[in-house]
Amino acid sequence: MPLTVLITRDVEDRYRGFLGSAMLELAPGVYAQPRMSAGVRGRIWTVMEEWYARLHRGSIVMCWADATAAGGLGLVTLGEPPKDVVTHDGVLLVRRILPTVAEETDVV
């Protein structure tokens, strides 16, 4: 039962109440639980996915220690900004698409 951390950004207030009932809110939108089973983590994430599917507002990230995952970190995300998490030599990296020169000059 590893430490689980969940971070929300720009989501409805009901997320705060729900997550606060299962995890400690360390800072606004940052929740942690030192000993969360995979089953509880999965049920919480299912609720997050269902609520997010209705509005597509904000972003949610959940991570936990996972010896079988790349970099030893289990990671799931919903929302913006889009990030592509990749493994390179056993380390997790975030790859972002950079805007092209044409896209930068189109900004008014």
Side-chain angles (χ1 to χ4, degrees):
M1 291 196 284
L3 171 70
T4 300
V5 176
L6 193 141
I7 303 161
T8 63
R9 193 186 97 226
D10 191 30
V11 295
E12 297 175 289
D13 289 337
R14 68 177 170 171
Y15 288 86
R16 186 175 203 176
F18 173 71
L19 292 170
S21 71
M23 304 174 82
L24 175 64
E25 187 173 13
L26 301 173
V30 179
Y31 303 86
Q33 176 54 259
R35 290 174 298 278
M36 184 177 284
S37 70
V40 171
R41 186 174 58 242
R43 287 189 293 278
I44 288 174
W45 190 250
T46 297
V47 171
M48 299 292 101
E49 288 177 318
E50 289 172 0
W51 288 357
Y52 186 82
R54 293 183 188 141
L55 293 179
H56 294 284
R57 176 180 164 193
S59 65
I60 306 167
V61 176
M62 181 186 275
C63 62
W64 62 95
D66 184 349
T68 63
L73 184 70
L75 179 68
V76 288
T77 63
L78 292 169
E80 299 292 329
K83 294 182 177 78
D84 186 16
V85 179
V86 296
T87 304
H88 180 72
D89 290 337
V91 176
L92 291 175
L93 302 172
V94 175
R95 176 175 48 196
R96 296 184 188 183
I97 299 173
L98 298 176
T100 64
V101 174
E103 289 173 346
E104 290 177 357
T105 58
D106 289 342
V107 177
V108 177

